[in-house]
Amino acid sequence: MTIVPEEAEIIRECVLRVLAMESLASIVRDLTQRGITTTAGNSFKVTSLRQLLCRARISGRREHTPRSNWETTRPIIGDIVADAVWPGIITADESDRVRAILTDPDRQTRQPGQRMNSYLLTGLLVCHCGARLVGRPRSGVPRYVCSNAPGYDSCGKTATNTQRTDDHIRDLVIVALDSPDFIERLRSRQALGSEASDAVKDDELQLEELAQQWARKEITRREWMAARVVVEQRLERNRAAAARESRRHVLRGFVGTLEEMYERWELMNVSQRRAVLSATLHSVKVNPADPRKRWDPDRFAPEWIA
């Protein structure tokens, strides 16, 4: 496999931007504005860039992406099976983190009637009825609302102003990150979370061993398929855990004094801000508003990761 130096440099740049939790759409827009194309002369697309960055080959490794008879397309990532003969342009650790981030099921949080990337807290705000709040303006004013779309078991009665809510949750998170005790708890959770990356590698190795056992006729195809389903389900859970661990890496360059964190926040794009929030919060419950108050910050109940 040959990668020209110009392509290698673009790949390295994109990897670093993904690790900084920048969205693929933002990266693609920037590449297009700069006139950067693929080696075939085509414009970059979000889907093609995701596929490129998820390939193990860019880290000097081979992967196998098995496909069942009923599957029409191959998974975006496969199982690492061996080191390749070509040198990697990024490290194996960087590749594992990027693959975890870009295949994280929590990364896509589109809800009915909501535009992607328009609302910072989409996916984090939860109505007291249990439904996720979505972004929806009223009279031109952005709001988070409990959707009453048909087919969804939600109350449709909760709403909160977007700007005030974003600022309030930002303040809660930055003040929490200013606490040494909270940081220590996060570090403890991250140490535990690092086990997920090792578990992913173990699961990928076990899948390869199962395939080899079937190839040597040590087990039947039925036995191989039954065992593969169990391992793949566990692998999916471990990849999701590894993705959450990768999101917490963004805190390393963010945490500082209160003033420094506020300054860094202003320089971040929406994807990077969401990464900071997702690294500290599981969710934020939004309780009914007090009708006597125009703005009621006490209705927000954060569920912290640590």
Side-chain angles (χ1 to χ4, degrees), residues 88-260:
I89 59 178
I90 63 173
T91 67
D93 177 67
E94 289 172 333
S95 176
D96 290 341
R97 288 169 54 196
V98 166
R99 284 156 64 94
I101 291 171
L102 295 183
T103 59
D104 179 13
D106 292 336
R107 186 177 174 88
Q108 298 296 331
T109 55
R110 185 187 296 271
Q111 300 290 339
Q114 174 236 327
R115 294 174 57 195
M116 287 299 289
N117 296 329
S118 299
Y119 294 86
L120 176 64
L121 300 176
T122 299
L124 283 175
L125 296 183
V126 180
C127 178
H128 58 89
C129 73
R132 298 278 178 178
L133 269 63
V134 300
R136 187 171 297 161
R138 180 179 180 181
S139 300
V141 178
R143 303 182 308 155
Y144 296 107
V145 302
C146 180
S147 175
N148 57 357
Y152 286 83
D153 187 16
S154 53
C155 69
K157 298 179 180 179
T158 301
T160 179
N161 179 274
T162 296
Q163 188 60 56
R164 284 191 169 186
T165 305
D166 288 353
D167 291 346
H168 177 61
I169 301 304
R170 173 205 61 196
D171 293 343
L172 288 178
V173 167
I174 289 180
V175 170
L177 291 173
D178 192 45
S179 166
D181 291 340
F182 183 73
I183 292 296
E184 186 58 36
R185 293 197 300 271
L186 276 179
R187 287 173 178 166
S188 177
R189 289 297 299 269
Q190 184 167 339
L192 293 174
S194 63
E195 298 174 0
S197 298
D198 295 333
V200 167
K201 296 175 183 178
D202 290 342
D203 289 338
E204 291 176 338
L205 178 60
Q206 188 172 9
L207 285 174
E208 177 62 18
E209 291 174 346
L210 282 170
Q212 291 176 356
Q213 286 180 311
W214 176 68
R216 294 193 298 264
K217 298 185 177 181
E218 297 174 357
I219 58 176
T220 65
R221 178 177 176 81
R222 183 184 296 272
E223 291 172 328
W224 169 59
M225 290 296 295
R228 177 185 159 191
V229 168
V230 174
V231 178
E232 285 183 338
Q233 289 175 343
R234 186 176 64 232
L235 176 59
E236 183 177 355
R237 293 193 299 269
N238 287 329
R239 279 175 174 163
R244 290 192 294 271
E245 174 192 346
S246 295
R247 287 200 300 269
R248 286 195 285 272
H249 281 272
V250 74
L251 294 181
R252 295 180 179 176
F254 181 75
V255 174
T257 65
L258 277 174
E259 293 77 10
E260 289 172 341

Side-chain angles (χ1 to χ4, degrees), residues 239-294:
R239 279 175 174 163
R244 290 192 294 271
E245 174 192 346
S246 295
R247 287 200 300 269
R248 286 195 285 272
H249 281 272
V250 74
L251 294 181
R252 295 180 179 176
F254 181 75
V255 174
T257 65
L258 277 174
E259 293 77 10
E260 289 172 341
M261 286 189 283
Y262 275 108
E263 289 175 0
R264 290 165 185 165
W265 181 271
E266 291 304 316
L267 296 175
M268 286 180 160
N269 59 35
V270 173
S271 297
Q272 292 168 327
R273 291 176 179 179
R274 284 180 59 85
V276 171
L277 299 178
S278 299
T280 54
L281 290 166
H282 284 301
S283 62
V284 179
K285 182 180 179 181
V286 184
N287 293 307
D290 186 340
R292 297 169 299 179
K293 297 181 180 179
R294 186 176 180 86

